[in-house]
Amino acid sequence: TMWCRRLATLARGHPYRSACALLALFACTQLMINSSLVCSVLFSQRAEPAIYTPGLPLGGRHIANGTAPTSAAAGRLIDLPLLDGNSSASLAEADLDPADSAASKLPLCPNVPPKLRGLLPKAEILSDPVRSPSWSELAAQFPDVRHGGSRPADCQARQRVAIVVPFRNRDAHLRLFLANLVPMLQRQQLHFKVFAIEQAGTTRFNRAMLFNIGFKEAMRLFKPNCFIFHDVDLLPEHDHNMYRCGAHPRHMSAAVDKFKYRLPYATIFGGACALTPRQFKAINGFSNLFFGWGGEDDDFANRVVWSGFKISRYPLSIARYTMIKHKTEEKNKPNPMRFKLIKFGKKRWHSDGLNSLQYTVSRVQDRQLAYFISVEIPESQILRRAKLL
């Protein structure tokens, strides 16, 4: 400000100097505005999701201490997700499903659900497959869950959320997953349904393609306005980690106990992530070519960037998960082509994804707590079509 005053004094009575001083004053003003913005970000006490623009994760650069910024408010209740700082009223107008609002005269659920508990005690998180409840026990425990989900009884949910879970031969893990997740989703006052997408047959497991299939089938059966693409072996520890969608794709599982609650690398975008249908369609979903283990999440992170989105994360103190311990599946070996597929992903992402799905639904079953959709995937046909065989 001192230099700005001096420039104004020197410019008096001199037209040429006045013009130069005006330009300099404009530059000073912009500098002060930018400085105030930087300071407001650095010293903000709001525990909002941090925004990341990941680069190409080909090298898998590791970060020893995790880079997601934390906040002094990270452990307290938060009022998210807001759409880029909009008011909660704007959030309701943007996210509330028109069909729901027309069918119900209930008041809108509060942006901050009143029954959230915060970080759950480790003893309350069921993670031992030996102790997994049976389907009949789950049905008795959650009688209000029907047709794969539930909705709040006393208010109008802010979002219709589809939880898409790919799996094969992991029934005990799925039961553990539901036993842990359903109570949290109910405390978050969500209108949700769980879609368990099972890959039948003997072809190599294709987790990414099952996510795409789950999106298609859930849009047909439920028409959600938010999707959570979720691994079956991840159990949330903190119910302030809201299972809602926002203005950017959100990486939900940033802090997993297996990785000592740190980010393995800055561009990771796997485990559990939240996207709106518009975001997922713009990205063209996941690639359908990742048969076997590995690579699909890094390719998906690249698609987020190529589509013009950014990745958001809650602080590591909130985005906490327990991973169910299990043995590596012998039939799900690392994909030998994964690095090549990631490297050349930009050449094919417009034609490889939601718009190139090939699958057959063999069974749809309503098991009260989840919709089971079994599908068959023609691996050889897909790879030949992509000229990878």
Side-chain angles (χ1 to χ4, degrees):
T1 57
M2 178 183 69
W3 285 106
C4 292
R5 290 189 191 123
R6 289 186 179 179
L7 285 169
T9 302
L10 288 171
R12 289 175 185 168
H14 299 276
Y16 177 74
R17 288 181 183 176
S18 297
C20 293
L22 283 173
L23 290 173
L25 283 169
F26 178 76
C28 285
T29 304
Q30 292 301 310
L31 181 61
M32 287 187 289
I33 291 172
N34 291 337
S35 297
S36 65
L37 286 174
V38 170
C39 289
S40 67
V41 171
L42 288 175
F43 297 104
S44 172
Q45 296 300 301
R46 292 175 59 81
E48 298 183 350
I51 304 295
Y52 295 82
T53 306
L56 294 177
L58 296 178
R61 182 167 57 88
H62 286 259
I63 296 171
N65 59 355
T67 59
T70 57
S71 162
R76 65 175 172 82
L77 193 63
I78 51 177
D79 58 350
L80 292 170
L82 299 178
L83 298 183
D84 284 348
N86 291 338
S87 67
S88 57
S90 299
L91 174 67
E93 294 168 5
D95 291 343
L96 187 62
D97 186 78
D100 278 358
S101 60
S104 175
K105 295 181 180 179
L106 293 172
L108 186 66
C109 293
N111 196 40
V112 181
K115 295 183 180 180
L116 297 184
R117 298 174 54 194
L119 183 63
L120 302 177
K122 270 285 191 179
E124 291 189 20
I125 299 173
L126 298 176
S127 59
D128 184 357
V130 177
R131 298 174 55 199
S132 180
S134 66
W135 286 107
S136 59
E137 289 172 335
L138 285 171
Q141 184 179 353
F142 304 108
D144 53 340
V145 177
R146 288 284 186 272
H147 309 300
S150 72
R151 67 199 312 174
D154 56 352
C155 63
Q156 182 65 30
R158 288 180 173 269
Q159 294 189 355
R160 295 164 59 93
V161 182
I163 316 292
V164 179
V165 186
F167 82 107
R168 180 163 65 181
N169 302 325
R170 303 278 287 274
D171 191 76
H173 292 178
L174 182 61
R175 285 180 271 123
L176 277 179
F177 175 80
L178 292 169
N180 285 277
L181 189 68
V182 168
M184 190 192 81
L185 297 179
Q186 291 180 328
R187 290 196 301 274
Q188 293 185 354
Q189 296 182 311
L190 298 173
H191 182 189
F192 71 91
K193 286 188 184 293
V194 178
F195 294 87
I197 313 300
E198 179 184 34
Q199 183 172 336
T202 58
T203 55
R204 288 182 296 169
F205 192 65
N206 192 326
R207 170 178 169 271
M209 189 171 179
L210 293 177
F211 279 140
N212 287 342
I213 294 170
F215 177 86
K216 288 278 191 181
E217 296 299 318
M219 287 296 291
R220 181 175 64 85
L221 295 169
F222 183 43
K223 295 181 175 58
N225 46 27
C226 178
F227 278 85
I228 312 292
F229 300 98
H230 213 302
D231 284 349
V232 72
D233 57 2
L234 286 181
L235 310 175
E237 298 182 10
H238 205 305
D239 62 8
H240 296 180
N241 188 0
M242 297 297 295
Y243 274 51
R244 298 191 215 158
C245 291
H248 293 279
R250 178 173 302 132
H251 183 214
M252 312 285 289
S253 54
V256 181
D257 64 344
K258 179 180 178 180
F259 305 117
K260 299 181 179 179
Y261 298 104
R262 299 172 179 175
L263 282 173
Y265 51 96
T267 55
I268 189 171
F269 193 52
C273 54
L275 297 94
T276 65
R278 180 184 67 84
Q279 291 164 357
F280 198 68
K281 289 176 181 178
I283 293 168
N284 196 22
F286 286 81
S287 167
N288 296 318
L289 302 179
F290 286 84
F291 287 89
W293 181 88
E296 69 274 12
D297 290 330
D298 290 337
D299 182 83
F300 190 58
N302 287 341
R303 290 178 177 226
V304 170
V305 178
W306 298 332
S307 303
F309 296 113
K310 298 178 181 180
I311 294 173
S312 68
R313 293 188 180 106
Y314 281 114
L316 298 184
S317 58
I318 291 175
R320 294 170 58 95
Y321 285 78
T322 294
M323 181 177 285
I324 301 173
K325 295 180 180 179
H326 59 90
K327 296 180 180 178
T328 303
E329 298 180 35
E330 294 183 2
K331 295 182 180 180
N332 192 32
K333 296 180 180 179
N335 181 355
M337 295 193 301
R338 63 189 185 278
F339 298 113
K340 182 179 179 180
L341 289 172
I342 294 171
K343 184 177 181 180
F344 296 104
K346 196 169 186 178
K347 294 182 178 180
R348 56 175 171 75
W349 72 284
H350 284 296
S351 58
D352 166 30
L354 281 176
N355 59 3
S356 63
L357 275 174
Q358 291 178 263
Y359 68 96
T360 303
V361 176
S362 57
R363 183 182 62 168
V364 178
Q365 185 180 15
D366 181 354
R367 287 200 191 174
Q368 184 176 329
L369 270 78
Y371 269 113
F372 271 71
I373 302 177
S374 294
V375 298
E376 296 183 5
I377 297 175
E379 178 179 353
S380 297
Q381 292 181 28
I382 293 168
L383 295 179
R384 274 198 292 270
R385 180 180 176 182
K387 299 180 180 179
L388 295 174
L389 277 184

